[in-house]
Amino acid sequence: MLPQKQAEEAIVSNFSETENQSKDEEKEDQHSMFSVKSLLWHGGSVWDAWFSCASNQVAQVLLTLPYSFSQLGVLSGILLQVFYGLVGSWTAYLISVLYIEYRSRKEKENVNFKNHVIQWFEVLDGLLGPYWKAVGLAFNCTFLLFGSVIQLIACASNIYYINDHLDKRTWTYIFGACCATTVFIPSFHNYRIWSFLGLGMTTYTAWYLTIAAVVHGQVEGVTHTGPKKLVLYFTGATNILYTFGGHAVTVEIMHAMWKPQKFKYIYLLATVYVFTLTLPSATAVYWAFGDELLNHSNAFSLLPKSGFRDAAVILMLIHQFITFGFACTPLYFVWEKVIGMHDTKSICLRALARLPVVIPIWFLAIIFPFFGPINSAVGALLVSFTVYIIPSLAHMLTYRKASARQNAAEKPPSFLRSWTTMYAINTFIVVWVLVVGFGFGGWASMTNFVKQVDTFGLFAKCYQCKPPLPPPTSNTTAAAHHH
């Protein structure tokens, strides 16, 4: 047993040391990757980061994008996806630049990050001071909290389409308990196999939605009236803003890389792949069902029951479990740092310390089970700042002095060449997202959200449960009314 344990410890310490190695020693990295444990468990390559970004970006949003298209119309839906995808990739790039800047400054002061995971709020603190740390922490934690809540609601919403013997609220209780097991996954190094599987699952689901909608054909008397109301238009637009806002974990994904400097364009490449999933599936489902989607925020609810649909539902459930872990892990880190448990080696002790994080998430999912509307509300009020506004402002303030620009760890990308262009792009993003995303989007999504609460009430037992397909018999109608 002892030699094996020593070997494992050697591998772990090897990975910690390689974080600061130069490119010449990259080959040594490769040798330590050959054991089975490191193959499945210790991910830190460029590919791991790409899989993490791509699988983390699209989960349950796949199922709500057709709903957004019904609010926006196809043209706006496609244009906004491409626009927010590119803007999201840009701000992910800014976050990566700020991370490298923070880390290089700290390493000059001989700070060691061996048992410490750097997080976004610490980058803000190190570069801009305690007020920025507080703002970053507040927005990031609230966003991740609600991101985790959305995964739980989505789990219950999806499983209901396979088994409607239990109502959605009961399913939320069950999945809350299942998702609580993510407390045992130590860090983002350990998501290698999950990210890979997760992306395979969303790819299957996206193409199932596309093909099933085309095979199903247009429903009788289909209408495509969107966009017809400003409230709906901006609610849909904010859901798309949310789609490409998976940055709350960008710093943690970067920190899990052996060579974080290579992160720069990974997010963009992940987004390009995500377009191949979101654009065809949302367009096809909207083409087939049109305005019916306005009352069905989960695309599964309109497609006929089949083995393929059940497979897609089950794969999405597993993926949502993975995404729950993704969203919760940074919260676990923050909580561990607050209570002084972040350096603890024991996985079981850390898991126990993390449990208080899961309880409020579970509770909120039961209070607000509104699947589509909560995505838009989170997008407008939290993602707009966390993902778009704060990184752009932070980048401008970090490099506002000539000396900071001169000594920057990362210079502007070759295709831009000047700091002025970077400032112009950042200013545009801040103004656009503040006005369109937070302003109009916040107004629209909160109006929509309040309407859902008025219609269904808090603690709704079964939100949007009356099955539209197949045509209900008298028994199922009674059951739906009972729910």
Side-chain angles (χ1 to χ4, degrees), residues 34-146:
F34 289 132
S35 77
V36 174
K37 181 179 175 183
S38 67
L39 186 72
L40 300 178
W41 195 240
H42 278 292
S45 68
V46 171
W47 281 104
D48 287 310
W50 183 82
F51 277 116
S52 291
C53 287
S55 71
N56 187 40
Q57 206 173 85
V58 166
Q60 91 303 333
V61 171
L62 261 184
L63 311 174
T64 59
L65 282 173
Y67 165 69
S68 297
F69 271 41
S70 70
Q71 297 168 321
L72 290 163
V74 172
L75 183 65
S76 287
I78 292 172
L79 290 176
L80 281 171
Q81 273 202 47
V82 173
F83 173 70
Y84 281 125
L86 294 175
V87 171
S89 301
W90 174 257
T91 51
Y93 166 73
L94 296 182
I95 291 172
S96 74
V97 168
L98 293 171
Y99 168 87
I100 301 284
E101 182 68 40
Y102 168 77
R103 188 156 175 174
S104 63
R105 285 185 192 182
K106 285 290 172 196
E107 281 172 354
K108 279 174 193 162
E109 297 165 19
N110 293 324
V111 176
N112 184 1
F113 294 110
K114 191 172 178 184
N115 287 324
H116 185 93
V117 176
I118 299 174
Q119 291 187 271
W120 178 223
F121 69 90
E122 291 166 319
V123 172
L124 290 173
D125 186 24
L127 297 175
L128 296 168
Y131 290 116
W132 278 84
K133 174 187 177 178
V135 170
L137 196 57
F139 274 109
N140 231 20
C141 289
T142 318
F143 170 37
L144 289 165
L145 183 80
F146 278 100

Side-chain angles (χ1 to χ4, degrees), residues 8 213 221 238 455 463:
E8 283 179 11
T238 341
T455 312
Y463 173 68

Side-chain angles (χ1 to χ4, degrees), residues 90 93-94 395-396 399 405-406 408 410-426:
W90 174 257
Y93 166 73
L94 296 182
H395 187 273
M396 291 198 282
Y399 297 112
R405 293 194 291 275
Q406 213 168 347
E410 290 280 336
K411 299 285 188 265
S414 52
F415 59 87
L416 287 182
R417 300 208 175 145
S418 78
W419 287 95
T420 317
T421 320
M422 288 194 83
Y423 269 71
I425 295 171
N426 290 347

Side-chain angles (χ1 to χ4, degrees), residues 156-403:
S157 176
N158 290 350
I159 190 74
Y160 183 79
Y161 299 118
I162 291 184
N163 181 339
D164 56 7
H165 298 307
L166 298 175
D167 58 71
K168 288 182 185 175
R169 190 166 67 193
T170 310
W171 280 119
T172 310
Y173 291 132
I174 294 166
F175 278 101
C178 296
C179 288
T181 57
T182 55
V183 295
F184 289 103
I185 299 176
S187 79
F188 282 99
H189 278 301
N190 315 117
Y191 272 100
R192 166 176 276 188
I193 193 74
W194 295 115
S195 300
F196 179 72
L197 291 173
L199 195 58
M201 291 163 190
T202 43
T203 303
Y204 171 87
T205 305
W207 287 108
Y208 157 73
L209 288 173
T210 309
I211 294 162
V214 172
V215 170
H216 180 278
Q218 292 188 309
V219 291
E220 211 175 313
V222 68
T223 51
H224 299 88
T225 53
K228 60 179 178 179
K229 281 188 186 163
L230 267 183
V231 170
L232 292 180
Y233 187 86
F234 284 108
T235 307
T238 341
N239 190 38
I240 291 180
L241 175 138
Y242 170 83
T243 305
F244 295 97
H247 304 29
V249 292
T250 304
V251 171
E252 288 83 356
I253 291 172
M254 279 186 76
H255 189 80
M257 291 176 71
W258 298 313
K259 301 262 177 268
Q261 297 83 350
K262 293 185 176 179
F263 184 84
K264 282 182 253 178
Y265 302 111
I266 287 175
Y267 202 91
L268 178 63
L269 296 172
T271 302
V272 169
Y273 180 76
V274 166
F275 284 152
T276 69
L277 306 182
T278 56
L279 293 170
S281 60
T283 309
V285 176
Y286 179 54
W287 169 82
F289 297 102
D291 291 349
E292 277 189 34
L293 282 158
L294 286 167
N295 298 316
H296 297 92
S297 48
N298 189 330
F300 281 146
S301 63
L302 287 168
L303 289 160
K305 201 168 170 57
S306 70
F308 290 114
R309 190 187 80 162
D310 288 356
V313 171
I314 290 162
L315 290 177
M316 281 310 276
L317 283 172
I318 302 168
H319 187 261
Q320 269 143 3
F321 171 76
I322 297 165
T323 312
F324 181 91
F326 258 112
C328 249
T329 302
L331 287 177
Y332 295 151
F333 292 156
V334 172
W335 178 244
E336 285 169 4
K337 287 170 186 173
V338 168
I339 60 171
M341 295 282 279
H342 191 57
D343 296 337
T344 310
K345 290 278 194 293
S346 162
I347 288 181
C348 292
L349 255 180
R350 282 175 75 178
L352 202 62
R354 289 168 168 194
L355 272 178
V357 177
V358 181
I359 311 297
I361 292 170
W362 206 349
F363 189 61
L364 284 165
I366 292 158
I367 302 178
F368 303 117
F370 316 126
F371 184 40
I374 201 172
N375 275 10
S376 299
V378 168
L381 306 177
L382 299 170
V383 176
S384 53
F385 282 94
T386 306
V387 171
Y388 301 100
I389 295 172
I390 292 174
S392 303
L393 283 176
H395 187 273
M396 291 198 282
L397 288 172
T398 302
Y399 297 112
R400 66 189 180 279
K401 291 181 182 158
S403 58

